[in-house]
Amino acid sequence: MAYLRRTAVGALAVPFLLLVTACGSDNTGPAPPPNTVFLTSSNTFNPGSLTVIVGTTVTWQWQPGASHNVAPVSGNVPARSGAPVAAPNTYTFVFNTPGTFGYYCEVHGSLSQDGSASGMVGTIIVQ
């Protein structure tokens, strides 16, 4: 009789565990690539600062909600992603030179005459 009780409990436990596992899963699709910066609907880059090593590819991934682009604060690193567009969109750039590189969204950020950016801005630090 004890064997039957253990078997019944075991038989009920397996479907319960499967249900709990399925309910806890995040079925939002594949994970983003490493070194991804999100362009959010709250007009921010997330993360605002990212540190990488030379030769790293950084991916900017648009989230639904607004049109954005990526433009360098000075020089041409990272290269401008193009005209502002809405999600879904991604842009990648390979950082081959060490340094600190500022970027901003031309829709939600601005450059001042002294060359600094404000608003929707971000930084890539390449070591």
Side-chain angles (χ1 to χ4, degrees):
M1 186 69 159
Y3 173 75
L4 288 176
R5 248 182 294 168
R6 280 189 300 232
T7 305
V9 170
L12 292 174
V14 171
F16 176 76
L17 290 174
L18 291 173
L19 178 64
V20 168
T21 302
C23 289
S25 67
D26 182 16
N27 293 321
T28 58
N35 301 309
T36 296
V37 176
F38 295 95
L39 291 78
T40 70
S41 60
S42 59
N43 301 330
T44 60
F45 292 104
N46 185 19
S49 180
L50 181 65
T51 301
V52 299
I53 61 172
V54 171
T56 297
T57 299
V58 172
T59 300
W60 286 266
Q61 184 172 324
W62 279 239
Q63 293 182 323
S67 292
H68 300 295
N69 73 338
V70 175
V73 170
S74 64
N76 59 359
V77 175
R80 188 171 180 268
S81 65
V85 295
N89 193 51
T90 59
Y91 168 67
T92 60
F93 185 85
V94 179
F95 285 86
N96 290 317
T97 306
T100 300
F101 303 96
Y103 59 91
Y104 73 107
C105 170
E106 293 173 320
V107 177
H108 302 104
S110 62
L111 286 177
S112 64
Q113 289 184 359
D114 68 2
S116 64
S118 61
M120 188 175 176
V121 298
T123 305
I124 303 294
I125 302 163
V126 184
Q127 299 176 335

